Every structure is written in C-alpha cells, then in structure tokens.
Amino acid sequence: MDNVNILIIEDTPAESEALIKVLKAHNYTITGVATSHKEALTLFYNTKVDIVIIDIFLNGLPDGLAFAENISVVPNAAKPFVFLTSSTDRQIFERAKLTNPFSYLIKPFNELELLYALELAVEKFYNQHEVFLGEEENTVVSQDYLFIKKGKSLKKVEISDIIYIEVEEKYCSIITETEKFVILISLTKILELFDSHIFCRTHRNFIVNTKKITEIIPIDNLVLLKGDHKVILSDKYKDSIMQRYILK
Amino acid sequence: MKAVFRIVIFSFLLYSQSNSAQQNYTPFEKEIIAKSKTIVGNPDFTKAQHFFLQKEWDSCFVYTMKQLSVGKQPEKIQNFCHFFRGFGFKEKKLFKESKKEFQLITTDFQFHNHIQMFLGEIALEEKRFNEAVNYFTEIEQLHPNLLLGIKKSSVKHNLGLCYLHLEKYDTAERYLREGLQLEEAQNDTVALVGTYGDMATLYYDQYKDKLAIPYFEKAYQLSKKVKNYQLKQNAALNMAVVEENRNDYAKALTYRKEYEQWKDSLNDQNKVWEVAELEKQFTVKQKQKEVSLLKAENKIKIAERNGLLYSAIVLFVLLGTAVYFYREKTKKNKIISAQKEALSELNATKDKLFSIVSHDLRSAVNAMKISNARLLENVAAKNLDELDSLLQRNSAIANSTYNLLDNLLHWALLQTKQSYFEITTIRLYHCVEQMVYNYRPLLFEKNLVFENTISRNDIVCADQESLKIILRNFIDNAIKFSKENGIIKMYTQNTDEKYCTLLIEDNGIGMSTALQTALLQETRLLSKTDNEAISGTGLGMQLCKSLIQKNGGKLDLKSEVGKGTKIIVSLIKKQPNG
C-alpha cells in the first residue's frame, strides 16, 4: 500500500506547516506546497497528485478558486480537492460550488475535520458516497487506484499491481506481488468498477488480473499466476477464461 | 204636396239606414270584422278598417289610399279597400265616386251582394227606379244565408219605395206590407215608423185617405216613442199636411208647431252636440295636456330619482372605499406599531447584548492581562513551575474568548444572512467526533468522561457549518456546567419518522425552571446573575436556537438543579429514498 500524495496550495507558511505536520503524522505524502496560482499549476501538472488542498484566498485574491476552476475543466486532469477558507462568505461559496464536486473546510479546523474533508473529497470526486464513514465499506475505486481507509487516514493501491482478489462475504483479500490485505468492498462494486477486460472471475470467490496469469491448467481446474499464486477455476467460468486466453 | 212627402221620406229612409248602425255593431259590421280578420300584418289596412268601423270616412279614405298605393296587393285587400271607400263615398253622398269604387271590386268578393244592395240604394237616390228595382229584386231572390247582414225587410222596403215612385201601387203595397210584417216581427221601431209613413204615403198618393190616415197616425204615435228628432219631425209634418188637407187647420197648426219644435230641437240638438263635441275635444285636449304634463313631470321625477339613486350609489362607493382605506390604514398602522415595538425591543436586546458581550470580552481580556503580568513576573523570577499553569490558564481564557467571538460573528452573519447555507446529508457520529476533538484537553482537565454512542448510521439533513456551531456550543456548555469527574453522554433516539433526536446529557449543575423557560423563549438574553463565574450571555443558546430553526429542527431541554441538563435537538432525518 502506498501513501496518498497531497498538493497543498496555501500562501501562509504557518498554516501550510501545520497542515504538513498533521498530514505527515497520518502518513500522507506531501508532494509540494504552492503559494501562488502559477506555482500551483506547475506543481499540479509535474507531480503525481492524488488530492489537492486549496486555500481559496491567495495573497488576498480568490486565486485558489481560480485554480480549482482551471483544473476542473481539463478532462482527465482533475483530482479531488478540498477548499480551505476562513469565511463563509456566500458569494465565494456560491462560486466555489460551481467546481462541483466540492468539499470545504472552514478555518480553524482540527485534524479530524481535515482528515474527514480529505476522505469526503475522494468520495465525492469518484462519486462513491458514504464509503469511509459507514461501517459497510472502506474502499473507493478510481481508475488507477484503490483508496482504502486505514485507521484515520487513507492509503492507496495501484490496481495494476493486484494479482487476484479473493472474496469472502463482505471482505475482499487483495493479493499483490508484495503484500496481502483485506478491504471492505462489495463484489458487485468490484465487478462494476474494475476494468472487465483485465479482471475476470474464475470462480465464485476469485477475481483474477488476466495480465498476471502465467498458466491455465483446465484438467486440474487451476490458474497459475505470477508469484506462484494458484487460483481455482470453476466450470462456470472456464469457457470464458479459455476463450479469452486462446484469443490472446 | 206629394213632392213634400217624397223628399221627406227619402231623406228619412237614408237617415234611418245610417243611423241604425249607431250602437254597437250591426250584423253587417260584424260580418266585415269576421271576414277581414284573416288579413293581418298590414297596419294601414288595420287602421282603415278601424276608421271604417268608427265611421270616420275621411281617415278611412286616407288609409285605404295608402294601402292601395303601396303597390301590388292581394286581391282580397284591394277589394276590401275599394269596398270601404265605396261605402264611405256613398255615406257622404258622393254617389259617382262610390259607384266607381264599387265597380273596381271583383265579383267573387264576399260582400258582392252588399255592393248590389248599395248600388241599388244609389240608383234609388239618383231616382233611377227601374235600375234600383233590378238590383233589389236580385237580392230579394237570394238565399237568406248569403245575405250577410242585409236586412230582408230593408230590401222589401226599398223595393216598395221604388214601386211607389214608379207609381206601381199594387206591387209597392205588397212589398211594403211584407217589409212591415218583417219589421213588426223584428220589433224595429225606427224602421216601423218609416214603413208606416211610407205605407201612409202609398195610400195617400192613391187618394185612399181613409187607409192612409191611420198609418200616418200610427207613425206619429210610434214616433213619440222614438228619440230620433228627424223621425218625430217627419211624422209631425206628415200629420200637419194630412190635417191641412182635411182642412182642420187648428190641428194642422199644432202639428206644424210640433214639427217646428222638433226641427228646432233637432237643430238645438245638433248645436248641443256640436258644443258637446267641442267641449269634448276641449276636455280631451285639456286631458291630453294634463297627461303630457304629468308625463313630463314623471320624466323629471324619474330623472330626479335616478339622479338621486346614482349619487347615492356614488356616495356609497366613496364611503366604502373611504372605510376600506381607513381600515387598511389602521391595519397598517397597527402592523407598523407592532413592528416598531418589536424593533425597539430587538434594538434594546441588541444594545444589551453589546454591553454584555463587551463586558465579557473586557473581563476576559483583563484576566489575560493580569495573567500575563504574573507570567512576566514569574519569568523574571525564573519561577518555571508556575509558567505551565499560567499558560494553561491563558490558553483557556483565549479559547473561551474565541468561542464568544465566534458565536458573535456567526450571530451577526445569521442576522444579515450573509453566510453560506446548504443542507446536505451529514453523519452525526463523525460530526460530533470532530467537534469533541477540540475539547479533549478540557475534558481531560476536568476529568470528564465523554461518551458518544450515536450510531454511525444516523444521517441527518443539515447545513454542515451551522450543525458544527450548534454541537460546539452544546458541548462547550455541557463541559462548562459539569462538575469534576462528571459524565457527558451524547446519543440519539429514532422514535420519530421525520426527526432524528440528538441528546446531549450531562450530570452537572443543571438549571432552574425559570432559567429553562427563559432560554427557550424567543429573543431573550440572560443577565449575569445566576452563575456569575461561568454563565455566559445566552448568546450561544440564542444562536443555536436560530440555527436549529433554520435547519428545520427543534430544540428542547430538560434540567434539574444539581442533577444535570439534557439538551434535546431534533434534526430532520435523511429519508431512505433520498
């Protein structure tokens, strides 16, 4: 599991330092601190960012808002972001609201509020509501990553690293080349959100990354995967797997 | 001598004819009405008929002429018109005209026989006796049903007259007798007088004086019963002639005198009639004038009445509008005064709030000042043990002052509606956790136990910031009014369908009933009397109340002095479908 990368756009050093301190304490990686609109754009496009924290007012101007507006209109570039502001000025809020989806945090805030705002931003951005706060699930699926709530903070796992997933009731064991962990996510959600060209079911309880398959042994009803992992191939899914494999 | 008789008799005969139609309608006129009934929709004709029946010939001529001049008419109407005109001319003794008119009528006209009769009469008048005899004989031979009001007796009488003039005495006698019989049967006194006279003349002409004289006398006796002066006159004259011929001059003289008398009275009567007619006309005119006067008066009265009515209506409307506006005005005034009262009350509250808040702030800052002075003293004395507690205190003072200012700010924002407000779904548990996080040090300091047993699945609909302010204030209060080692519990009750009820319970000092009601009352600030040391302005409470209201929620509280307080906040629950 990797840390989640955060870009901070904040012109007051004291506040950005306080933010960094809290975020680091909860295993977030800070990819940079921008103090102006321009700097923010440079950092945003040149580093791998998962979440952006934006102070609406930079040097007295609503440049943070301008930045958010800027990135949210670029297709595929947009990332989840959280607004920071010290006022609940209605006009500013009405404008900020247009950069839908948006989550905000009113200063002063405590660390719980900050962490919650980050989680909310991810949920809202990937349109998977009520994940991190509920008791049923703890994972949000994006295009490339799984965002998993671990303790008070978020972690991410690159989806292409996953070898296979084993489903046991509402739990899912994720097996990557280096680690194995359990997340809370429903099978339907996985099937719905994972790329079906890459991930397919071999068994009622197994979903396999087809790129990690090394061998299929139909006689033994087995699929051999990278890292010497073995997965059961049931009759129900045998045909579709075989077909896909042969076509390749 | 004879000439005298004849002239007398002729005029008498014709007169009796026209006169006999004076009362009501004669059978002939009834027939006219009946036969012309079918003609409707011609006002001129209707008028002509009316005047015909009224014997106002001139008017009748005018309307018949009008009717005829209109152009092509049904034959029936034309016939009637000519008939009316012919009859009228005959009555006016314009025989030529009359004949002309009668000749214009087609032979299939219903009253053809009458025309024959009238032509006969005209011939008689014009002394063309043979021609008259032809006409009358023709009619005499008709079936009675076809007579349509022609008196058989008149026909016989006329025939008799004709023969009399033709000096065919036998035939004349026969006809006159027949006519006499019929008239006696009909008891037609007027006709009888004439016939008796004619009979007498018949005999007299033949020098059968013995036969004639009784008839003359009969006629004379009968004429006394009649009111017709002409008849009376004729009868008297005849008697006078008879007596003269008998050389009884004394009697003749009396008859003559009687005759003169009747003649005079006839003239008188005519004059009287004329005068009466004039008077009648005069009175009619007078009446007409009166009527028109009354009409005019009526018009004026109506106009006056209408005028009064309109002005009354206008006045009423004006009054109505005036009353309406007056009421509106008083209503407005009432509202304005009520608003004014409310405003001044609010203003007073605001002023009070200002003084209390500034007092609070001043004391807080003052405490900080004193504390800082002591801090400086201790730093100078290098008394490091004291520093920690002093700083702790400073931080606490700063915190509470900050909270006060924060509430003040939000209160101001709420009043001016400048704040962003958006109802979203919020998980109560996490929100409470986030808010309590700030109070951990305080809880620790007072050694309080905090229990958050709100279900993670309780989701309410509220504005995030205002909910945070509400929670902050209630948690702050709960801590403030808790005793050391106390317990603060936060939990929810989901008994209501619409609301999720959040309870904040402490076992602190509690409050009096009066204070509770005061807190729940609208726009009420507290004076600093009860808990001088720790109580606030009630601004926080006021703010929470307003915010809860704005979020569509409800606030209640239960408290007992010494046992603790329970704050009950009902917030709108997220409905399963959205």
Side-chain angles (χ1 to χ4, degrees):
Chain A
M1 277 201 264
D2 302 320
N3 284 353
V4 173
N5 296 329
I6 291 181
L7 172 63
I8 298 171
I9 302 167
E10 168 65 76
D11 61 331
T12 319
E15 288 191 13
S16 53
E17 274 161 29
L19 270 176
I20 291 166
K21 197 179 149 197
V22 172
L23 291 172
K24 277 195 171 158
H26 288 95
N27 295 317
Y28 284 99
T29 302
I30 314 299
T31 58
V33 178
T35 54
S36 70
H37 188 190
K38 207 177 157 188
E39 203 182 336
L41 285 173
T42 321
L43 278 171
F44 180 74
Y45 287 112
N46 294 318
T47 51
K48 282 202 164 185
V49 176
D50 295 314
I51 306 170
V52 194
I53 296 175
I54 308 165
D55 189 353
I56 287 182
F57 283 94
L58 297 176
N59 308 312
L61 294 170
D63 275 356
L65 194 52
F67 169 79
E69 284 163 352
N70 197 330
I71 62 162
S72 59
V73 293
V74 181
N76 302 323
K79 294 285 173 191
F81 54 81
V82 177
F83 283 123
L84 294 183
T85 178
S86 51
S87 86
T88 53
D89 186 84
R90 212 171 49 187
Q91 278 182 329
I92 285 292
F93 264 80
E94 293 297 342
R95 195 176 144 195
K97 212 180 152 187
L98 297 175
T99 63
N100 200 30
F102 95 118
S103 50
Y104 63 92
L105 204 49
I106 310 279
K107 291 181 199 172
F109 48 85
N110 61 42
E111 61 176 77
L112 281 187
E113 287 177 282
L114 174 63
L115 298 173
Y116 169 72
L118 290 173
E119 289 163 17
L120 195 67
V122 172
E123 276 182 2
K124 275 187 174 177
F125 188 83
Y126 295 110
N127 207 18
Q128 294 163 40
H129 300 283
E130 313 286 349
V131 173
F132 298 129
L133 296 182
E135 287 168 328
E136 310 286 307
E137 297 181 8
N138 68 353
T139 304
V140 163
V141 184
S142 81
Q143 178 108 34
D144 302 316
Y145 295 102
L146 295 180
F147 290 96
I148 302 152
K149 184 166 178 177
K150 202 177 175 195
K152 280 181 180 177
S153 58
L154 292 181
K155 286 284 188 183
K156 65 172 181 180
V157 170
E158 203 163 342
I159 290 175
S160 57
D161 284 348
I162 296 171
I163 295 171
Y164 74 94
I165 302 160
E166 189 179 352
V167 183
E168 282 168 40
E169 289 174 21
K170 61 179 181 174
Y171 301 101
C172 288
S173 296
I174 307 284
I175 290 94
T176 68
E177 281 176 43
T178 51
E179 51 191 341
K180 178 183 175 180
F181 49 86
V182 175
I183 59 167
L184 277 167
I185 194 166
S186 69
L187 180 64
T188 32
K189 202 166 167 185
I190 290 178
L191 292 170
E192 190 186 313
L193 294 168
F194 276 36
D195 188 349
S196 58
H197 296 293
I198 297 164
F199 287 89
C200 66
R201 285 174 95 168
T202 60
H203 182 263
R204 205 166 61 87
N205 292 342
F206 291 101
I207 296 163
V208 161
N209 183 347
T210 51
K211 289 184 175 166
K212 304 284 185 188
I213 295 176
T214 52
E215 200 183 346
I216 297 173
I217 309 167
I219 306 159
D220 295 340
N221 281 350
L222 272 180
V223 177
L224 298 184
L225 297 154
K226 265 188 188 169
D228 290 338
H229 291 290
K230 287 173 193 166
V231 166
I232 304 166
L233 177 63
S234 72
D235 288 339
K236 193 181 172 189
Y237 300 101
K238 204 186 251 176
D239 289 347
S240 64
I241 289 284
M242 291 299 285
Q243 207 168 12
R244 188 195 286 250
Y245 201 65
I246 289 161
L247 276 174
K248 267 164 80 180
Chain B
M1 202 64 73
K2 276 175 196 169
V4 174
F5 289 130
R6 276 171 202 169
I7 291 160
V8 171
I9 291 157
F10 280 116
S11 58
F12 148 74
L13 174 81
L14 289 163
Y15 186 79
S16 80
Q17 266 238 337
S18 60
N19 202 42
S20 65
Q22 202 90 33
Q23 307 95 354
N24 290 339
Y25 292 128
T26 59
F28 163 58
E29 280 164 345
K30 280 181 190 161
E31 288 293 335
I32 293 272
I33 295 168
K35 299 286 177 192
S36 62
K37 221 194 295 182
T38 49
I39 300 165
V40 284
N42 284 306
D44 286 332
F45 180 79
T46 317
K47 276 185 182 156
Q49 189 214 29
H50 171 76
F51 286 119
F52 174 78
L53 295 173
Q54 296 296 317
K55 304 193 187 343
E56 291 179 21
W57 309 119
D58 293 329
S59 307
C60 183
F61 292 153
V62 172
Y63 283 107
T64 46
M65 189 51 98
K66 267 193 187 172
Q67 182 67 30
L68 284 169
S69 67
V70 169
K72 227 177 158 352
Q73 304 274 348
E75 200 172 62
K76 198 177 177 186
I77 294 178
Q78 274 188 8
N79 285 343
F80 263 110
C81 287
H82 289 303
F83 183 72
F84 289 163
R85 288 172 74 80
F87 193 85
F89 285 131
K90 186 176 84 72
E91 290 294 299
K92 296 201 97 179
K93 304 208 187 300
L94 298 166
F95 299 120
K96 268 190 184 170
E97 295 291 323
S98 178
K99 256 168 109 183
K100 238 191 243 169
E101 292 292 341
F102 284 136
Q103 274 155 8
L104 285 169
I105 298 166
T106 53
T107 45
D108 57 354
F109 185 51
Q110 285 136 319
F111 293 98
H112 180 70
N113 293 326
H114 282 88
I115 295 163
Q116 296 297 336
M117 174 81 173
F118 296 145
L119 285 170
E121 279 173 12
I122 290 166
L124 186 58
E125 288 282 354
E126 289 178 344
K127 300 188 197 309
R128 286 182 278 110
F129 302 115
N130 284 319
E131 202 183 323
V133 168
N134 286 339
Y135 284 122
F136 292 134
T137 328
E138 206 177 298
I139 293 161
E140 196 207 350
Q141 284 157 1
L142 284 173
H143 193 272
N145 285 354
L146 294 168
L147 288 177
L148 298 173
I150 300 173
K151 276 186 182 170
K152 196 118 193 189
S153 56
S154 304
V155 179
K156 301 257 183 206
H157 189 146
N158 284 348
L159 269 170
L161 265 182
C162 288
Y163 286 121
L164 178 61
H165 285 296
L166 291 168
E167 299 185 349
K168 289 184 180 171
Y169 296 119
D170 293 347
T171 336
E173 193 183 345
R174 186 165 54 85
Y175 278 116
L176 283 174
R177 261 190 205 293
E178 277 174 23
L180 189 65
Q181 274 165 9
L182 284 170
E183 277 158 7
E184 275 173 343
Q186 284 164 9
N187 208 8
D188 187 345
T189 324
V190 179
L192 272 174
V193 174
T195 317
Y196 284 142
D198 289 341
M199 283 293 284
T201 317
L202 172 79
Y203 292 127
Y204 211 70
D205 276 4
Q206 292 175 66
Y207 302 100
K208 293 181 179 170
D209 287 11
K210 279 186 184 165
L211 279 170
I213 290 164
Y215 278 111
F216 278 128
E217 281 174 346
K218 252 187 186 171
Y220 175 70
Q221 294 303 332
L222 212 55
S223 77
K224 283 185 179 168
K225 292 179 190 167
V226 180
K227 277 186 182 170
N228 192 317
Y229 291 112
Q230 186 80 45
L231 279 177
K232 283 177 192 279
Q233 187 194 331
N234 285 351
L237 181 61
N238 285 346
M239 281 309 286
V241 173
V242 168
E243 291 301 335
E244 241 174 64
N245 287 354
R246 280 203 291 195
N247 295 329
D248 194 342
Y249 294 110
K251 267 190 181 169
L253 201 65
T254 24
Y255 284 125
R256 274 279 171 199
K257 273 183 184 164
E258 201 183 330
Y259 159 70
E260 294 292 331
Q261 187 195 327
W262 290 132
K263 201 175 170 183
D264 286 352
S265 47
L266 185 67
N267 285 344
D268 283 356
Q269 205 191 24
N270 282 344
K271 269 183 192 163
V272 167
W273 274 345
E274 269 170 32
V275 170
E277 193 69 23
L278 275 173
E279 269 180 8
K280 212 168 124 189
Q281 278 177 4
F282 184 71
T283 42
V284 163
K285 268 185 190 168
Q286 207 74 3
K287 283 276 164 194
Q288 199 65 39
K289 261 189 192 170
E290 267 176 41
V291 164
S292 50
L293 198 75
L294 280 174
K295 266 185 188 170
E297 269 179 17
N298 249 15
K299 261 187 189 172
I300 292 166
K301 268 186 190 168
I302 287 168
E304 253 176 40
R305 200 193 59 202
N306 282 352
L308 274 173
L309 193 71
Y310 290 140
S311 47
I313 289 167
V314 168
L315 279 174
F316 189 74
V317 169
L318 275 175
L319 191 75
T321 37
V323 166
Y324 174 76
F325 279 114
Y326 179 73
R327 282 183 66 181
E328 282 293 298
K329 207 193 153 196
T330 44
K331 228 192 254 175
K332 268 184 198 163
N333 279 351
K334 259 187 199 169
I335 292 168
I336 287 169
S337 57
Q339 282 175 337
K340 201 180 153 191
E341 232 167 81
L343 270 179
S344 53
E345 201 177 301
L346 279 174
N347 209 26
T349 314
K350 210 175 198 173
D351 288 346
K352 201 175 167 192
L353 175 83
F354 261 125
S355 64
I356 294 169
V357 167
S358 23
H359 184 265
D360 275 16
L361 278 175
R362 200 179 71 149
S363 45
V365 173
N366 193 39
M368 187 95 101
K369 221 169 102 184
I370 294 165
S371 182
N372 275 348
R374 276 178 62 191
L375 193 65
L376 283 172
E377 273 173 31
N378 280 318
V379 169
K382 303 229 186 226
N383 191 354
L384 296 177
D385 296 342
E386 274 295 296
L387 287 185
D388 191 52
S389 66
L390 277 171
L391 278 172
Q392 284 284 355
R393 232 181 98 190
N394 271 6
S395 138
I397 291 167
N399 254 335
S400 71
T401 313
Y402 176 81
N403 280 345
L404 175 62
L405 281 171
D406 197 46
N407 279 344
L408 192 61
L409 170 70
H410 285 296
W411 190 76
L413 285 175
L414 187 72
Q415 300 301 311
T416 50
K417 296 190 172 90
Q418 278 172 349
S419 195
Y420 177 75
F421 189 90
E422 191 196 20
I423 303 271
T424 50
T425 53
I426 295 164
R427 280 182 189 258
L428 215 45
Y429 173 82
H430 295 277
C431 205
V432 168
E433 279 299 299
Q434 288 167 31
M435 287 307 102
V436 170
Y437 190 82
N438 284 348
Y439 294 96
R440 291 280 172 210
L442 274 175
L443 289 168
F444 180 75
E445 194 187 309
K446 269 195 159 176
N447 201 19
L448 297 170
V449 176
F450 183 82
E451 272 178 18
N452 177 4
T453 53
I454 299 167
S455 158
R456 284 167 191 251
N457 294 322
D458 279 330
I459 302 173
V460 294
C461 295
D463 172 60
Q464 185 183 295
E465 275 317 298
S466 42
L467 182 61
K468 279 183 180 176
I469 295 163
I470 294 161
L471 290 174
R472 221 183 281 150
N473 271 290
F474 285 137
I475 294 167
D476 193 54
N477 276 346
I479 293 169
K480 217 195 279 183
F481 299 117
S482 278
K483 291 171 261 186
E484 297 251 327
N485 307 316
I487 265 192
I488 297 171
K489 291 182 194 165
M490 284 184 82
Y491 54 97
T492 50
Q493 283 175 354
N494 280 303
T495 46
D496 197 287
E497 242 176 56
K498 195 184 166 196
Y499 293 103
C500 174
T501 312
L502 169 70
L503 293 102
I504 302 131
E505 198 182 324
D506 67 62
N507 58 354
I509 59 169
M511 11 176 194
S512 64
T513 332
L515 189 60
Q516 286 173 49
T517 43
L519 278 175
L520 288 175
Q521 240 172 30
E522 198 74 28
T523 59
R524 186 67 194 268
L525 288 169
L526 296 177
S527 51
K528 266 193 150 187
T529 47
D530 279 8
N531 295 298
E532 187 69 37
I534 34 179
S535 176
T537 51
L539 175 66
M541 197 68 179
Q542 219 39 252
L543 181 66
C544 288
K545 225 175 348 181
S546 303
L547 287 174
I548 289 166
Q549 223 167 43
K550 205 175 174 191
N551 279 292
K554 291 183 287 193
L555 172 67
D556 199 7
L557 54 88
K558 279 177 188 161
S559 184
E560 224 174 300
V561 178
K563 286 197 174 172
T565 306
K566 205 192 264 182
I567 303 282
I568 304 151
V569 183
S570 301
L571 292 163
I572 292 172
K573 206 188 270 187
K574 183 198 172 191
Q575 298 303 313
N577 53 358

